[in-house]
Amino acid sequence: QVQLVESGGDSVQAGDSLRLSCSVSGPTYRRYCMGWFRQAPGKEREGVARLSIDGASSYANSLKGRFTISKDNALNSLYLEMTSLKPEDTGMYSCAATDFPITQRSCLDLAGRNFRYWGQGTQVTVSS
């Protein structure tokens, strides 16, 4: 059974930074395509970043340069470093993983509906 547990969400001011963590339990962690998604009230879920098994990453165009996805295999953890936060970054941030065989290219463009495992989310609120 794969479980994802997010942490690190907070209420911050515009311009602040936050680091979200996602603790992953599962027998094949190193073979997961992983990602971060967010959903603001009244809006559809949005892909934030994805990380392939070999460490390649992709980001939503509007977030490039401000957000960084990374992982620590020794700690079975996925991270999202967020800088220069804006009020429009407010939302519920969730990590996701899938252990289906997948190419790097497909992982970096994987839609949310194709991720098999999801965490409960952690709330980020950015005030102006």
Side-chain angles (χ1 to χ4, degrees):
Q1 182 77 14
V2 177
Q3 290 186 325
L4 308 177
V5 180
E6 302 94 336
S7 62
D10 203 352
S11 295
V12 298
Q13 297 293 314
D16 285 351
S17 298
L18 270 181
R19 187 194 198 201
L20 305 182
S21 299
C22 175
S23 177
V24 184
S25 62
T28 56
Y29 165 74
R30 287 173 176 74
R31 300 204 298 269
Y32 297 163
C33 168
M34 303 196 70
W36 284 98
F37 292 78
R38 68 184 183 185
Q39 188 166 20
K43 294 187 177 181
E44 293 187 356
R45 183 174 60 196
E46 172 188 22
V48 173
R50 296 159 180 83
L51 189 68
S52 69
I53 296 170
D54 58 357
S57 59
S58 64
Y59 300 89
N61 286 335
S62 62
L63 302 177
K64 288 180 180 178
R66 293 197 299 122
F67 287 19
T68 303
I69 188 172
S70 63
K71 67 178 179 178
D72 187 326
N73 288 335
L75 296 178
N76 281 11
S77 293
L78 180 74
Y79 304 103
L80 184 68
E81 195 79 39
M82 305 185 293
T83 63
S84 301
L85 284 163
K86 305 175 182 180
E88 52 263 42
D89 294 320
T90 293
M92 182 68 74
Y93 284 70
S94 300
C95 66
T98 186
D99 53 1
F100 295 137
I102 190 170
T103 65
Q104 179 195 91
R105 182 176 179 178
S106 296
C107 171
L108 297 183
D109 195 36
L110 199 65
R113 65 181 179 274
N114 292 322
F115 280 86
R116 185 175 181 183
Y117 307 108
W118 288 84
Q120 293 299 308
T122 185
Q123 178 67 36
V124 173
T125 303
V126 185
S127 302
S128 58

